[in-house]
Amino acid sequence: MTDIIQLLPDHVANQIAAGEVVQRPASVVKELLENAIDAEATEVKLIVKDAGKTLVQVIDNGKGMSVTDARLSFERHATSKIKSAEDLFQLHTKGFRGEALASIAAIAHVELKTKRPEDELGTAIEIEGSQVKSQDVSVTPVGTSVAVKNLFFNIPARRNFLKSDTVELRHITDEFHRVALAHPNIAFVFYHNGAELFHLPQEKYRQRVVHIFGNKTNEKLVPVEEDTEVLKISGFVGKPEYSKKTRSEQFFFVNQRFIKSPYLNHAISAAFEGLLKTGYHPSYFLNLTVNPKTIDINIHPTKTEIKFDDEHTLYAILRSAVKHSLGQFNIAPVLDFEHQSSLNTPYSYKDKVGKAPTIEVDRSFNPFADDTDTAQSSSSGHTHFKKAPAANWEGLYVGLESKENNSNTDFSSVTFESDSKTASVFGDSAVETHKTTFQLQHKYIVSTLKSGMLIVDQNRAHQRVLYENFLKHVTIKEATSQQLLFPLQLEFTPDECKIIEELKANLEHTGFAFSEGSENTITITGVPVGVPESEVSSILEQLISDVKQDVPDANFSAADLLAKSMAKSLAIKNGQALNHTEQEHLVNSLFACKEPNMSPTNKPTFVTMSVDDIENKFN
Ligand code: ADP
Ligand code: MG
């Protein structure tokens, strides 16, 4: 038998390895830009043609290469950046594998020109598919220029696999953003097909972010700064109202290297809790500096993942730093009386300023009162539904019910009854004019939508309504107070008194009024309009327990917490019957909210069921 195993020729082996490093033109852009930065360039020019399919060229003014180094740089595992395995634990460069140039040269036409400051003449090398075509002395400026032409010329399958120019250019732009954001102290220009896409001078980080993402970005940035022994954070998060449906403005840099970290991303989301609509993502541009010994970037060939020694600590520091900044610049500034009130509004409440505050729900409602509507609905739901204007959901309900009741009658009579009712379900105009609601198990409010059915959780919905209301009052400090005839004296432990003392200013903004109390008692002389006296002590208790549980220092985002606690204690509970007007009012108030989709604690406030969903259930 003859042997069948043979060594792959170099150029084949290189092509295979290249696949790991070079997946698309954007990979070339990344590698070349990073080499320029490692070479300590201060000015970097990126020139791209046809989304990189024809040309990717990077020109830098860095330290250049000697003649020998220039030739060696194309050898696999040839690097000047690490000398031993230990160096991997204290990396200060982007590159370290010595693979990029070798990989790129294996699958493209590459022209290198380079010159060190100390040399009079530079070197020019041409390589095609790992074959050196020429090497000459060259008159060239200090620094390095690498031009990569006809990517994947020798791997047609890979070339055909490339996406449209638009898509490939977007990938390139993403890489450019990442590198440019990580290095505001380096000037960059970026040309595509002769047009200048970016021109970034050496600048401060804030200017760099604004230069890349547009002038409007400036007003949405909230600075984040933190300096601890294990982690230094600097950069910006976007104000909550500028959050995006996409994650396109989320950037973490660890020691100036762009990384993706779902775990740290979660820390940011946690810091934004209660401030974002569901499905929206916060923007952030954050630079983390850690001791290189505590990270391992060697775990992924494309190097956007990273392993930290002590993730939990980083998480906690990051979350609290971001929360702190949001508090300072968005919500808590109500504590800082020097601030302009326009900076304080957490949502876009600006347009609402000046509106007289009202508490939206009829708290005097009593299920046992002699109200025919409710009396009927609590004793027998059916009577109530039949009495209501015949329409959509109830129509369906009656239809179903009659099916049950008349299970012995022939099919045609059932269809007849449902038919007349269902006509209104599918007639859109009828749905819009006779919008109606119905309470299920004293817990959910069911209503119709053009496209199906809406089920609202009454407690969560009301929490959202109250939360936004209170938050608005705390923020604009315009709540009206209702004077109590006899001041209310409540006993608390010294600890609890201190918590209330700290929240006093915020409580007053919602409409509470206090007078000097003696030791261990709080004396309340006024309450927010619409808050029954009987609820006051439970509100304060709820608040104290929330502060104790959630927040290490009570100053932090106190307004938000207060609004949450008050909403929690005052919201309509499950099990409480609501009359028709109340149901509709609640649903309408919910959808008048900034963020109707979720409760202040980020739980869904409603679900919908489309006609399609319903039809599927019948299949
Ligand atoms: P790595 O960056 O991992 O070391 P590369 O294949 O990207 O591997 O580069 C190989 C070597 O070539 C580098 O270690 C560096 O010494 C040299 N080199 C590459 N690009 C440049 C450049 N723009 N300026 C100076 N030296 C460079
Ligand atoms: Mg490199």
Side-chain angles (χ1 to χ4, degrees):
M1 284 282 284
T2 47
D3 296 334
I4 50 168
I5 296 180
Q6 49 180 308
L7 273 179
L8 286 175
D10 264 3
H11 67 277
V12 180
N14 282 350
Q15 278 184 19
I16 292 169
E20 259 192 50
V21 181
V22 185
Q23 283 139 3
R24 52 179 8 129
S27 328
V28 176
V29 170
K30 173 179 192 268
E31 294 297 337
L32 296 187
L33 288 178
E34 289 189 347
N35 280 347
I37 287 159
D38 284 344
E40 290 157 19
T42 56
E43 285 167 25
V44 177
K45 198 186 261 185
L46 169 64
I47 300 166
V48 173
K49 288 207 175 110
D50 303 320
K53 293 169 187 171
T54 319
L55 173 73
V56 173
Q57 182 175 18
V58 170
I59 304 167
D60 68 54
N61 66 348
K63 59 186 176 193
M65 285 178 263
S66 70
V67 185
T68 337
D69 284 352
R71 178 63 194 80
L72 261 179
S73 68
F74 290 103
E75 293 299 324
R76 191 161 297 281
H77 303 306
T79 180
S80 57
K81 298 171 194 175
I82 55 171
K83 298 202 159 53
S84 68
E86 283 92 75
D87 292 346
L88 274 176
F89 298 104
Q90 40 200 334
L91 274 178
H92 295 285
T93 54
K94 315 256 164 207
F96 57 88
R97 294 161 187 272
E99 260 175 350
L101 287 185
S103 296
I104 293 168
I107 48 157
H109 299 158
V110 180
E111 294 170 21
L112 167 81
K113 285 186 181 172
T114 186
K115 184 169 97 82
R116 300 183 298 179
E118 62 266 41
D119 295 336
E120 237 159 79
L121 286 170
T123 310
I125 296 180
E126 284 183 25
I127 296 196
E128 294 182 12
S130 302
Q131 304 293 311
V132 180
K133 294 285 158 183
S134 70
Q135 171 158 1
D136 293 303
V137 188
S138 168
V139 179
T140 180
V142 170
T144 303
S145 156
V146 182
V148 177
K149 298 179 178 170
N150 309 321
L151 192 67
F152 299 131
F153 77 98
N154 50 359
I155 319 179
R158 286 300 282 272
R159 197 169 167 86
N160 294 338
F161 193 66
L162 292 177
K163 298 271 175 6
S164 70
D165 282 10
T166 324
V167 172
E168 294 300 340
L169 183 62
R170 202 172 60 227
H171 285 290
I172 289 174
T173 312
D174 282 349
E175 290 297 350
F176 178 79
H177 284 168
R178 293 168 182 180
V179 175
L181 276 175
H183 299 277
N185 54 337
I186 298 177
F188 289 91
V189 280
F190 174 9
Y191 293 94
H192 182 245
N193 290 342
E196 186 184 273
L197 298 189
F198 289 93
H199 188 121
L200 309 171
Q202 299 184 329
E203 57 198 342
K204 291 255 157 47
Y205 189 53
R206 185 178 196 116
Q207 293 163 323
R208 179 58 54 96
V209 174
V210 170
H211 254 134
I212 292 179
F213 295 100
N215 284 337
K216 281 228 293 274
T217 319
N218 194 28
E219 66 197 50
K220 75 179 189 188
L221 298 179
V222 178
V224 180
E225 298 288 338
E226 185 69 71
D227 201 347
T228 70
E229 289 213 340
V230 284
L231 171 68
K232 186 168 172 286
I233 305 171
S234 76
F236 303 94
V237 295
K239 291 180 187 165
E241 64 265 38
Y242 292 98
S243 59
K244 301 205 137 207
K245 280 253 185 204
T246 69
R247 297 182 177 276
S248 60
E249 291 188 3
Q250 302 193 326
F251 296 90
F252 276 126
F253 301 95
V254 173
N255 298 353
Q256 296 193 299
R257 183 191 296 273
F258 172 82
I259 60 134
K260 286 184 183 150
S261 167
Y263 185 67
L264 294 186
N265 178 65
H266 191 272
I268 310 264
S269 302
F272 273 83
E273 198 207 311
L275 298 173
L276 295 178
K277 291 183 231 178
T278 20
Y280 281 75
H281 307 288
S283 305
Y284 53 84
F285 313 89
L286 293 173
N287 300 299
L288 315 184
T289 313
V290 298
N291 183 337
K293 288 196 176 96
T294 65
I295 53 174
D296 179 7
I297 40 158
N298 202 7
I299 57 172
H300 195 269
T302 54
K303 296 176 274 179
T304 55
E305 274 156 35
I306 196 165
K307 219 166 133 309
F308 297 99
D309 282 356
D310 188 2
E311 278 195 326
H312 295 305
T313 310
L314 300 195
Y315 182 102
I317 297 172
L318 188 61
R319 174 168 167 268
S320 92
V322 172
K323 256 192 153 175
H324 183 76
S325 294
L326 285 173
Q328 274 202 323
F329 288 87
N330 267 283
I331 294 170
V334 286
L335 297 173
D336 177 358
F337 296 103
E338 300 297 291
H339 257 288
Q340 285 178 5
S341 63
S342 65
L343 287 174
N344 297 340
T345 39
Y347 301 99
S348 316
Y349 275 126
K350 293 181 198 111
D351 42 328
K352 293 192 178 175
V353 167
K355 213 173 139 192
T358 48
I359 304 290
E360 304 273 358
V361 164
D362 178 13
R363 304 266 325 151
S364 66
F365 166 72
N366 174 358
F368 304 107
D370 187 21
D371 174 313
T372 38
D373 224 348
T374 27
Q376 274 169 354
S377 82
S378 41
S379 60
S380 146
H382 304 165
T383 350
H384 174 54
F385 308 134
K386 286 197 174 142
K387 232 184 89 199
N392 31 53
W393 208 91
E394 288 143 0
L396 257 185
Y397 186 82
V398 172
L400 289 171
E401 194 192 28
S402 64
K403 226 180 227 169
E404 263 167 31
N405 293 347
N406 306 327
S407 51
N408 292 331
T409 56
D410 68 299
F411 185 72
S412 58
S413 77
V414 175
T415 10
F416 177 72
E417 193 174 348
S418 328
D419 268 356
S420 67
K421 300 289 187 184
T422 44
S424 69
V425 176
F426 298 106
D428 272 353
S429 59
V431 172
E432 277 178 325
T433 46
H434 300 285
K435 208 173 214 166
T436 186
T437 56
F438 141 76
Q439 196 183 20
L440 186 68
Q441 303 226 319
H442 294 172
K443 189 171 176 195
Y444 302 107
I445 300 168
V446 181
S447 180
T448 48
L449 294 169
K450 234 176 175 170
S451 55
M453 185 163 95
L454 172 75
I455 305 166
V456 176
D457 180 311
Q458 65 185 40
N459 171 259
R460 291 181 188 173
H462 197 206
Q463 281 197 37
R464 165 52 66 179
V465 172
L466 293 173
Y467 168 71
E468 291 203 1
N469 225 316
F470 286 128
L471 198 55
K472 179 167 69 185
H473 296 165
V474 181
T475 312
I476 65 180
K477 306 174 192 170
E478 269 188 18
T480 39
S481 180
Q482 169 190 319
Q483 199 72 27
L484 293 178
L485 212 49
F486 303 103
L488 198 62
Q489 299 223 319
L490 299 172
E491 296 258 338
F492 290 103
T493 67
D495 237 24
E496 294 169 341
C497 283
K498 202 164 152 265
I499 292 177
I500 299 203
E501 203 62 40
E502 278 164 359
L503 289 169
K504 214 169 191 172
N506 277 305
L507 282 162
E508 283 169 353
H509 297 318
T510 67
F512 278 100
F514 299 90
S515 75
E516 212 53 50
S518 56
E519 218 180 322
N520 295 356
T521 53
I522 302 274
T523 309
I524 294 161
T525 57
V527 294
V529 172
V531 172
E533 207 179 317
S534 56
E535 296 280 348
V536 171
S537 93
S538 75
I539 292 176
L540 293 183
E541 265 155 29
Q542 176 76 56
L543 183 62
I544 288 165
S545 99
D546 286 352
V547 170
K548 281 184 178 163
Q549 270 179 23
D550 286 3
V551 186
D553 74 306
N555 268 353
F556 167 68
S557 180
D560 185 61
L561 186 81
L562 174 63
K564 269 188 193 157
S565 298
M566 286 186 49
K568 210 190 288 175
S569 26
L570 287 173
I572 295 168
K573 302 288 178 298
N574 291 332
Q576 189 170 333
L578 299 176
N579 72 26
H580 207 250
T581 325
E582 290 167 334
Q583 294 166 21
E584 291 203 327
H585 190 71
L586 179 55
V587 173
N588 291 337
S589 312
L590 175 66
F591 287 99
C593 283
K594 283 271 147 202
E595 287 155 29
N597 305 20
M598 56 179 196
S599 75
T601 47
N602 276 344
K603 305 221 174 75
T605 51
F606 64 84
V607 292
T608 56
M609 215 185 227
S610 68
V611 176
D612 284 350
D613 294 338
I614 297 170
E615 269 166 13
N616 278 336
K617 290 212 179 290
F618 283 105
N619 285 334

